[in-house]
Amino acid sequence: MLSVRLDPEDGAALHSQVAAQIRQAIADGEAKPGERLPPARHLAAVMGVNTNTVLRALRQLRDEGLLEMRPRRGIHVTGTPEQSELRARVAELVELARSSGHTRAELLAMISQAP
């Protein structure tokens, strides 16, 4: 079970605190890639927060590439914080290429020619 500590006095939103704590648990190896996390309802009960708060944090981590959420299959750790950082930078690169008028194919060609 993840040891998530929330601080109601902290200025950060609760869902951000939940996401940060789960992210830290993944970084520390407490939750490893391939492991299944407890259901959001259970996490919410243990943390004393609303289930929607936990779901919002889990969706954020899913978007970062750290979690996979599948109906009837649960929530699984799929990545590491390093992979999450890489995904974020790739998304920035894709957005920069798009705003500069480059297509995905042109970006892929540039990447394949990079040293």
Side-chain angles (χ1 to χ4, degrees):
M1 177 63 188
L2 300 173
S3 58
V4 179
R5 300 164 306 281
L6 303 179
D7 181 5
E9 301 298 318
D10 188 338
L14 284 177
H15 74 276
S16 295
Q17 290 184 49
V18 170
Q21 290 290 310
I22 295 172
R23 196 179 296 111
Q24 185 65 46
I26 294 170
D28 291 346
E30 188 177 342
K32 296 175 178 57
E35 286 186 11
R36 185 175 180 172
L37 296 182
R41 192 174 314 141
H42 180 75
L43 288 172
V46 169
M47 290 184 253
V49 297
N50 187 292
T51 303
N52 288 325
T53 300
V54 173
L55 287 171
R56 188 170 177 187
L58 294 174
R59 282 191 297 270
Q60 178 182 342
L61 295 171
R62 177 202 59 204
D63 294 345
E64 292 176 14
L66 292 174
L67 299 179
E68 179 180 76
M69 300 166 58
R70 298 177 79 182
R72 293 184 291 271
R73 302 217 33 207
I75 305 160
H76 289 84
V77 177
T78 57
T80 63
E82 293 81 17
Q83 291 169 327
S84 178
E85 177 68 21
L86 180 60
R87 285 178 188 258
R89 293 204 181 200
V90 167
E92 289 174 16
L93 179 61
V94 169
E95 182 55 36
L96 176 62
R98 185 177 298 134
S99 66
S100 299
H102 295 284
T103 65
R104 185 177 296 258
E106 291 171 331
L107 178 59
L108 289 172
M110 285 184 235
I111 291 171
S112 67
Q113 295 172 1

